[in-house]
Amino acid sequence: MSDATQSGPVLAADGTPLKRSLARALRAQKMRALMLIAPLLIFILVAFIAPIVDMLFRSVENQIVSETLPRTVVGLQDWDPTDLPSDDVFAALAYDFIEATERRRHTRLGSRLNYETTGISSLFRQSGRSVDEIGEEYTAQFVELNAAWETPATWVALMAPADWITAEAAWAERFAVVADAARIATQAVAEADEASVGQAAAAAAVARAEASRVELEQPVFRLSVAAQEVLPETSDAYRSFARTIQQVDEETPTAEVPWNTVYLALYRDLSALDVSGYNGPMADLLIEADAAVETFEGLTPREAWGEVNDGWLDLDNWATIEAFSDPFTAGYFLSAVDLQLTPDGIEAQPEEQRIYILLFKRTIIMSMAITLMCVFLGYPIAYLLSNLPSRTSNLLLILVLLPFWTSLLVRTSAWKVLLQQQGVINDLLVWVGLVADGSRLALINNQVGTIIAMTHILLPFMILPLFSVMKTIPPTYVRAAKSLGATNFTAFRRVYFPQSVPGIGAGCILVFILSIGYYITPELVGGRTGTFISNRIAYHISSSLNWGLAAALGTILLVLVLALYWAYDRIVGIDNVKLG
Amino acid sequence: MDTKLPPYATFGQRLWFYGFRVICGIIFFFLIAPIVTIIPLSFNAEDFFTFTPGMLALDPEAYSLRHYRAFFGDAGYPLTGLLAGLGIGIAITVALRFFKGSKNYFPIVIFAILGLIVGKLTGLEGEEWMTPMRNSLRIAPVATLLSVSFGTLAAIGLSQSHVPFKGVIMAVLISPMIVPLIISAAGMYFFYSRIGLQGTFMGVVLAHAALGIPFVIITVTATLVGFDQSLTRAAANLGANPVTTFFRIQMPLILPGVISGGLFAFITSFDEVVVVIFVCSAGQQTLPWQMFTGLREQISPTILAAATVLVGISIVMLAVVELLRQRSERLRGLSPT
């Protein structure tokens, strides 16, 4: 026990300084707590927070324009919006559009841009049908000049590097063998119709053959350096063609004649550039064509697009494409607050399309009305419950808890049945004589229906927090006030009510948060005038498919709710939420 | 307010006293009447949603079980299931009695009910109401199991004295209860379609488990507030390892909280419809989904029968939670604090 006399830090039993030993113990404790929480935290992050973040991302994401029309978007960067884009941009549009059409992406982009400018959807759809005609007169003239331009092999020799050509040939050979095996196996299945054993074996062979056919991957098309240098536009257009053929049609570019747009690109390259220095494959052919292009005749890209659809000569459509060419956009948020992005900046939507501000206002006002109704109906009940002997109040509390536990759909369907024009409530009113049979009240499919049903559904959420606060108010205070001469009303107003305010605050925020995001009840009993913003969100997700706008509306609603949640946490504390 | 009117009360006080009670009575009526009214309406012999003159005259002809027959259908093997359940229950009871000397007849009832339900819901093919019911009863228990097991562990972690970032963690874990359902549903729809969970059983289960977690966290942490940590220390002192301590000491004491949290999670999943609308495909349509579709499109009186059955289920749930709460309070009153 010499430790006691020693100066210096206090030591733990194992000789380490006590401070460090304690810190280690604390760290171990923290780690243990975190280890216990970690599985749930990860689960919630994956199953719940990630979806929410995804939604936030979708509300600003807009990659579809720059992904579908990459060359056009680059070309539009230095476009003067008062005039039509240059021929270069129209040519770029042709290269982009033919690929988008082959990959069946153009209609999707059309519907996306249609949210911003009506009519673009049909413009894209119609253009998809005739875009392959752009450049066909150049194809004809090149082929007339030299039939070699019509053979796929010429193009492959001109564009691809030697090693790719070898790899592609090797692939084609293997592919033919495998495809043959698959064909034979399929035939065997057909022949071994009755002999089930043979059939099973043959079927297995088919499956194997199919599998190896799929596994056999085509080497992705690459451009040769020489082609890229001497014919930049053509090689780009050809690569787009070759890869699309490979990926979409699962064919090989060695067997397909390029699209007309590739010939257009070749024409443009040859008229603009000098290829006399080129000495790679097919040099003779290229130099011959270079000399001849001056005599070629045909439409400029802009004229060709005008032929396809005169919508392309409309400045508004170009302005829309330009305005939404950024990979991120505020457009959805602007639409969500009834604004729009136009070439001249941010403007209000046309009068007849302004609905979202109205809907937000309606949602907030109706939620407030519901909250107020809940306070008026909930306060007396909570007061009564907290002042009755506990046996009686527990019994009455069941009347509050039963609706709380009953399925939301049960309660909504009950109201739907009761509030109908031929429903129980109207029948009762007619029977009592308050309402004439001819003029039954419209209680459903309007705001009245939503407010009645939602007040009923959310009332327990008001009563329970109020009750738990009121139970803690000592009855002696009111008695003291009365004995000091206060009337019943004064005692209530000056003594009891101020003490119950925290309960009102908690209940109000809870009810308001719940009602502002309600979907089911307004959808079923709200009709056209009693719906909330959440119904619009659902509409955009499942009917109009404008997911970006749905996400933006959802984000605004989420921010609103989180602000209220924060307030609730400050006032009540989230740890103090009580259930039942 | 005093519970009894003093003899010297003035007329005004009397008026107020009785007036207030009448007002409260009306509000209670408002709370309970809609739920109670649909019960007799569901026995309507006609396809109406109001009381027919015959019903008002208590004519037995005007009442019928036809909507219940439509709800339950005649598929499935309820009798076989019931008998099998009874058999298993009796076997277990006998075994328990033989080996442990326990005189508990509970397993017979439990297994008979389980057997009845499982038998009734077996071999369904496109039944209008029973197939959704089966889907609901498949999804809800799995979701509950997930949220209860993760949630209880996390609640125990959260109730320790030194938890870093406790506020943030708590806010994240409670968030599924706060974020409006439509937003959760939208986000899950977008995200689950990206990762291929949209329209799968697993997708709906994950979504429902996430929605049920706040309830488990809240109820279990509330139970743990009253838990005496010196009990676990005593167990450790007597040589029990942490796992034994958890299962033999802590778990039995917090079990009421865990069960009522589980019931909340179950009812959340069982009642949930918004997420189901977006995340499910034809194979996972649940009972609330079927009711929602029925209410939105062609409302048929069978919905009232379904609603009555659900009211019955919620009454059972409410009773169980209430019993557990009382038991938990009794236990806590006994435990040294």
Side-chain angles (χ1 to χ4, degrees):
Chain A
M1 288 284 113
S2 57
D3 282 4
T5 55
Q6 206 178 323
S7 64
V10 186
L11 296 183
D14 58 351
T16 51
L18 185 60
K19 212 173 191 177
R20 199 191 303 160
S21 175
L22 277 176
R24 191 187 298 152
L26 193 64
R27 205 164 50 238
Q29 222 172 5
K30 278 185 184 172
M31 281 310 294
R32 201 169 57 230
L34 280 185
M35 293 284 280
L36 286 169
I37 301 169
L40 181 68
L41 204 57
I42 292 167
F43 177 80
I44 286 279
L45 286 178
V46 172
F48 188 78
I49 303 292
I52 300 285
V53 173
D54 185 33
M55 188 196 72
L56 299 182
F57 176 66
R58 254 179 217 272
S59 67
V60 290
E61 177 213 43
N62 188 42
Q63 273 138 348
I64 183 164
V65 180
S66 50
E67 270 174 11
T68 317
L69 305 176
R71 301 172 187 85
T72 317
V73 165
V74 172
L76 279 176
Q77 267 167 7
D78 38 35
W79 166 54
D80 165 25
T82 54
D83 194 16
L84 277 176
S86 65
D87 267 330
D88 294 341
V89 177
F90 275 102
L93 180 68
Y95 310 145
D96 284 339
F97 210 95
I98 186 89
E99 182 176 345
T101 311
E102 293 295 321
R103 290 180 186 268
R104 289 175 189 80
R105 281 187 191 151
H106 65 296
T107 47
R108 241 176 18 152
L109 178 61
S111 352
R112 163 67 186 94
L113 290 175
N114 208 49
Y115 301 143
E116 315 299 339
T117 303
T118 4
I120 290 201
S121 179
S122 67
L123 169 66
F124 271 59
R125 228 186 4 261
Q126 285 166 13
S127 306
R129 284 190 218 117
S130 46
V131 66
D132 53 347
E133 288 162 16
I134 293 180
E136 66 178 347
E137 64 271 21
Y138 297 109
T139 314
Q141 290 175 72
F142 274 114
V143 171
E144 201 180 313
L145 179 69
N146 192 330
W149 285 114
E150 209 177 9
T151 48
T154 314
W155 281 98
V156 172
L158 183 62
M159 291 294 164
D163 57 339
W164 183 83
I165 297 177
T166 334
E168 180 78 2
W171 168 82
E173 210 168 288
R174 277 204 310 274
F175 183 79
V177 172
V178 172
D180 215 32
R183 195 176 46 77
I184 291 168
T186 317
Q187 223 163 28
V189 171
E191 279 161 14
D193 209 12
E194 296 302 312
S196 57
V197 180
Q199 191 182 11
V206 171
R208 266 201 309 281
E210 275 297 314
S212 53
R213 196 175 70 85
V214 172
E215 268 171 31
L216 215 73
E217 261 187 41
Q218 217 184 132
V220 177
F221 179 78
R222 276 180 296 115
L223 283 175
S224 74
V225 181
Q228 251 171 324
E229 271 170 12
V230 72
L231 299 170
E233 232 174 284
T234 316
S235 59
D236 184 38
Y238 188 79
R239 179 172 52 193
S240 141
F241 155 77
R243 293 212 171 144
T244 309
I245 289 291
Q246 285 187 322
Q247 288 158 11
V248 178
D249 305 339
E250 291 180 359
E251 294 285 345
T252 159
T254 53
E256 298 279 325
V257 184
W259 300 324
N260 289 328
T261 49
V262 179
Y263 290 93
L264 171 70
L266 182 66
Y267 168 73
R268 282 169 53 80
D269 268 342
L270 290 179
S271 1
L273 302 169
D274 176 31
V275 298
S276 53
Y278 177 70
N279 54 3
M282 302 285 160
D284 298 346
L285 194 65
L286 204 60
I287 289 162
E288 176 200 9
D290 191 22
V293 284
E294 278 170 31
T295 62
F296 281 13
E297 282 175 1
L299 301 171
T300 64
R302 186 191 301 183
E303 287 161 358
W305 274 108
E307 290 279 301
V308 169
N309 193 314
D310 54 13
W312 293 107
L313 304 180
D314 185 347
L315 274 180
D316 284 351
N317 291 334
W318 282 101
T320 308
I321 295 177
E322 205 266 331
F324 289 91
S325 57
D326 277 339
F328 295 98
T329 175
Y332 294 122
F333 276 102
L334 293 175
S335 310
V337 290
D338 290 341
L339 298 173
Q340 60 180 348
L341 193 63
T342 63
D344 316 325
I346 295 166
E347 281 176 14
Q349 292 270 8
E351 194 87 44
E352 70 278 4
Q353 287 175 25
R354 287 181 211 161
I355 50 167
Y356 297 111
I357 295 279
L358 181 82
L359 264 178
F360 272 115
K361 270 193 204 152
R362 186 203 283 165
T363 306
I364 291 174
I365 290 174
M366 282 178 69
S367 298
M368 281 177 172
I370 292 161
T371 313
L372 265 183
M373 291 281 287
C374 283
V375 174
F376 281 129
L377 297 182
Y379 198 90
I381 294 290
Y383 184 72
L384 181 77
L385 287 177
S386 60
N387 284 287
L388 285 175
S390 68
R391 181 182 290 270
T392 332
S393 80
N394 273 345
L395 212 64
L396 285 178
L397 200 57
I398 289 178
L399 295 184
V400 179
L401 288 176
L402 183 63
F404 181 74
W405 275 96
T406 308
S407 168
L408 166 69
L409 277 159
V410 171
R411 287 180 281 169
T412 308
S413 45
W415 281 113
K416 185 140 181 156
V417 168
L418 296 181
L419 293 174
Q420 283 179 6
Q421 294 232 311
Q422 302 300 324
V424 174
I425 291 180
N426 264 313
D427 276 358
L428 201 67
L429 289 176
V430 170
W431 182 70
V432 171
L434 281 174
V435 172
D437 200 10
S439 58
R440 285 166 175 258
L441 301 178
L443 294 171
I444 203 165
N445 294 334
N446 54 26
Q447 302 194 351
V448 180
T450 308
I451 291 181
I452 294 179
M454 284 189 53
T455 304
H456 176 252
I457 287 165
L458 296 175
L459 191 51
F461 291 96
M462 177 64 83
I463 294 178
L464 294 175
L466 264 177
F467 175 58
S468 68
V469 168
M470 284 183 178
K471 250 196 328 197
T472 62
I473 301 175
T476 43
Y477 289 3
V478 174
R479 267 185 238 138
K482 279 186 194 164
S483 77
L484 290 169
T487 61
N488 281 340
F489 181 68
T490 315
F492 174 77
R493 189 174 63 89
R494 299 282 301 274
V495 178
Y496 193 89
F497 184 74
Q499 296 187 75
S500 65
V501 164
I504 298 181
C508 280
I509 295 182
L510 193 61
V511 169
F512 193 78
I513 286 181
L514 287 172
S515 71
I516 204 171
Y518 237 63
Y519 168 65
I520 295 296
T521 310
E523 177 77 21
L524 291 176
V525 300
R528 208 169 48 77
T529 56
T531 51
F532 283 5
I533 195 73
S534 38
N535 303 85
R536 201 68 197 172
I537 297 177
Y539 165 78
H540 280 308
I541 295 173
S542 50
S543 302
S544 83
L545 302 183
N546 189 348
W547 288 7
L549 184 54
L553 290 170
T555 307
I556 296 176
L557 184 60
L558 182 66
V559 169
L560 213 62
V561 169
L562 287 184
L564 288 167
Y565 174 56
W566 178 79
Y568 184 85
D569 196 25
R570 292 301 294 271
I571 296 170
V572 195
I574 196 66
D575 299 354
N576 296 340
V577 180
K578 293 257 171 21
L579 296 167
Chain B
M1 179 188 8
D2 299 306
T3 47
K4 263 194 268 175
L5 211 53
Y8 50 82
T10 62
F11 174 72
Q13 281 170 331
R14 270 167 210 281
L15 193 68
W16 171 241
F17 181 84
Y18 290 112
F20 184 74
R21 258 138 233 258
V22 169
I23 292 172
C24 287
I26 293 172
I27 300 173
F28 276 124
F29 181 76
F30 170 72
L31 266 172
I32 220 73
I35 299 169
V36 174
T37 316
I38 56 166
I39 296 175
L41 278 181
S42 69
F43 293 97
N44 199 335
E46 311 278 338
D47 272 350
F48 296 140
F49 289 104
T50 186
F51 291 98
T52 55
M55 292 178 89
L56 292 174
L58 293 180
D59 180 6
E61 291 282 299
Y63 292 87
S64 89
L65 289 173
R66 52 180 288 226
H67 302 312
Y68 287 87
R69 277 195 288 276
F71 176 71
F72 286 109
D74 42 17
Y77 311 95
L79 204 64
T80 325
L82 179 68
L83 291 177
L86 267 179
I88 298 173
I90 291 172
I92 289 181
T93 312
V94 169
L96 278 181
R97 184 153 197 184
F98 189 73
F99 290 113
K100 287 197 157 177
S102 128
K103 284 190 182 172
N104 196 345
Y105 295 103
F106 223 49
I108 301 184
V109 181
I110 300 269
F111 277 95
I113 295 174
L114 272 182
L116 179 67
I117 294 173
V118 171
K120 174 71 202 162
L121 299 177
T122 311
L124 296 179
E125 199 69 57
E127 292 274 307
E128 193 187 355
W129 289 95
M130 280 300 113
T131 315
M133 179 74 135
R134 183 189 60 190
N135 290 336
S136 278
L137 286 178
R138 264 190 197 163
I139 291 166
V142 185
T144 307
L145 196 71
L146 270 179
S147 38
V148 167
S149 43
F150 283 142
T152 308
L153 272 188
I156 291 172
L158 278 170
S159 69
Q160 313 226 323
S161 41
H162 302 284
V163 186
F165 314 114
K166 189 173 177 179
V168 179
I169 292 176
M170 199 71 181
V172 169
L173 297 186
I174 301 290
S175 61
M177 196 172 78
I178 303 297
V179 174
L181 274 173
I182 185 76
I183 295 179
S184 318
M188 285 167 175
Y189 178 65
F190 296 148
F191 185 68
Y192 289 2
S193 7
R194 266 191 221 266
I195 60 175
L197 275 176
Q198 204 268 330
T200 64
F201 176 76
M202 210 51 218
V204 181
V205 165
L206 284 184
H208 279 181
L211 294 180
I213 275 167
F215 297 98
V216 178
I217 293 278
I218 288 173
T219 45
V220 179
T221 35
T223 322
L224 282 167
V225 167
F227 181 74
D228 186 359
Q229 290 290 344
S230 56
L231 290 175
T232 52
R233 268 178 246 136
N237 211 1
L238 291 167
N241 63 26
V243 177
T244 315
T245 314
F246 175 73
F247 281 108
R248 299 282 297 275
I249 307 293
Q250 197 164 18
M251 198 60 194
L253 281 170
I254 62 169
L255 197 60
V258 174
I259 293 179
S260 60
L263 283 174
F264 270 107
F266 184 87
I267 206 95
T268 308
S269 165
F270 196 73
D271 277 353
E272 208 290 323
V273 58
V274 186
V275 170
V276 170
I277 291 172
F278 289 104
V279 177
C280 86
S281 64
Q284 300 95 37
Q285 286 154 358
T286 62
L287 191 58
W289 184 92
Q290 178 69 22
M291 287 183 79
F292 177 78
T293 322
L295 282 171
R296 194 157 64 167
E297 273 131 41
Q298 188 56 53
I299 175 164
S300 96
T302 317
I303 284 183
L304 294 181
T308 309
V309 171
L310 287 181
V311 170
I313 294 177
S314 43
I315 290 176
V316 172
M317 291 268 182
L318 174 63
V320 173
V321 170
E322 196 56 25
L323 285 176
L324 283 170
R325 197 181 57 82
Q326 283 175 11
R327 186 183 133 85
S328 161
E329 273 175 11
R330 216 171 47 234
L331 277 179
R332 220 181 284 180
L334 288 176
S335 69
T337 40

